[in-house]
Amino acid sequence: MMNHWRELLLDAVSPLEAGVRHLQITGYRPPGKTEFRPNRTAAVLVPLLDLPDPEVVFTRRADHLPQHPGQVSFPGGAAEENDTSAVQTALREAHEEIGLPRHATRAIGFLDRMDTISDYRVLPVVALVTPPVEWKLDEHEVAEVFTVPLSIILDTERYETRKAEWRGHEYTLYTLYWQDRKIWGVTAAMLMNFITRMQNANEQRNSCISG
């Protein structure tokens, strides 16, 4: 899969021009509700350093934050009034949080949307980043930036899984340990969606070649 990761990535993500209405919605559901729409909208950037051996960029939230302190996440946040799209939200937040320059960042598509218990519907925006990049952290929000090789991210054997029940719904929780970092929660769930899409793209590619 890693031999042709760029081609697979472009096939795996949902094209920007297709919009978001057709994307699946996963994540939190309140008890007894089949239809649910969180009150707030957010977007995160899923940045991949465009290298021969690509790496995925993560942040660790500052320890003093009131919500999710110290947790690993993608750069991103709530949509603001002046944002014209989810892509702009994700790029703006990534620039504000870690200094990711827009001229080095090319958004290429979406993953599926995810609803969270904090009342957000989050849209992951996948982007290719041309290195080198000098990170400039907003220390009020971000404690550190680190990267994980894409080959590690795509290796499902590295993920721990467990079932958890919350308010009448059963969820599968995923955790990936890399060096001394723990990637879990919504971020890990987004990675699983990313993996599924990459696997499907790879299977389709192989079937076309064999056919």
Side-chain angles (χ1 to χ4, degrees):
M1 190 183 299
M2 293 303 299
N3 292 335
H4 42 269
W5 68 268
R6 289 184 186 84
E7 292 84 354
L8 287 180
L9 181 65
L10 292 172
D11 289 340
V13 298
S14 179
L16 300 178
E17 59 271 18
V20 302
R21 291 185 179 275
H22 69 289
L23 295 174
Q24 294 185 19
I25 301 171
T26 61
Y28 170 69
R29 284 292 176 272
K33 289 188 177 181
T34 55
E35 297 292 331
F36 172 65
R37 178 63 168 93
N39 290 310
R40 296 177 287 183
T41 301
V44 298
L45 196 71
V46 183
L48 283 82
L49 296 182
D50 194 353
L51 298 164
D53 294 315
E55 300 174 356
V56 182
V57 180
F58 296 89
T59 66
R60 184 171 64 82
R61 292 169 58 84
D63 293 324
H64 62 261
L65 291 174
Q67 291 187 333
H68 314 296
Q71 288 190 12
V72 171
S73 64
F74 291 117
E80 295 185 355
E81 184 177 352
N82 293 331
D83 292 340
T84 58
S85 67
V87 173
Q88 183 177 348
T89 298
L91 292 174
R92 174 184 55 75
E93 288 282 345
H95 179 70
E96 293 174 358
E97 290 182 7
I98 61 175
L100 187 62
R102 297 193 182 188
H103 67 82
T105 309
R106 179 168 67 96
I108 59 172
F110 302 119
L111 302 180
D112 289 318
R113 297 173 287 179
M114 181 167 294
D115 292 349
T116 72
I117 60 174
S118 52
D119 202 25
Y120 279 99
R121 176 161 291 174
V122 184
L123 177 63
V125 180
V126 180
L128 286 173
V129 178
T130 303
V133 177
E134 180 181 353
W135 307 118
K136 299 177 182 178
L137 277 58
D138 178 355
E139 295 181 355
H140 177 71
E141 294 191 40
V142 178
E144 68 168 328
V145 176
F146 67 95
T147 62
V148 180
L150 180 60
S151 58
I152 300 296
I153 296 295
L154 295 177
D155 185 358
T156 56
E157 296 297 320
R158 290 181 172 267
Y159 291 78
E160 295 182 2
T161 62
R162 66 181 179 91
K163 299 289 185 180
E165 187 172 319
W166 195 72
R167 293 188 177 181
H169 289 272
E170 185 177 77
Y171 299 91
T172 301
L173 305 180
Y174 302 92
T175 303
L176 172 65
Y177 292 96
W178 170 247
Q179 299 177 344
D180 60 344
R181 284 96 170 192
K182 176 184 178 182
I183 305 171
W184 65 292
V186 170
T187 303
M190 291 177 181
L191 290 179
M192 295 308 298
N193 180 241
F194 177 68
I195 291 170
T196 299
R197 284 172 166 267
M198 289 289 283
Q199 289 175 337
N200 290 342
N202 191 49
E203 290 175 3
Q204 185 173 4
R205 176 188 174 92
N206 290 338
S207 65
C208 290
I209 293 174
S210 61

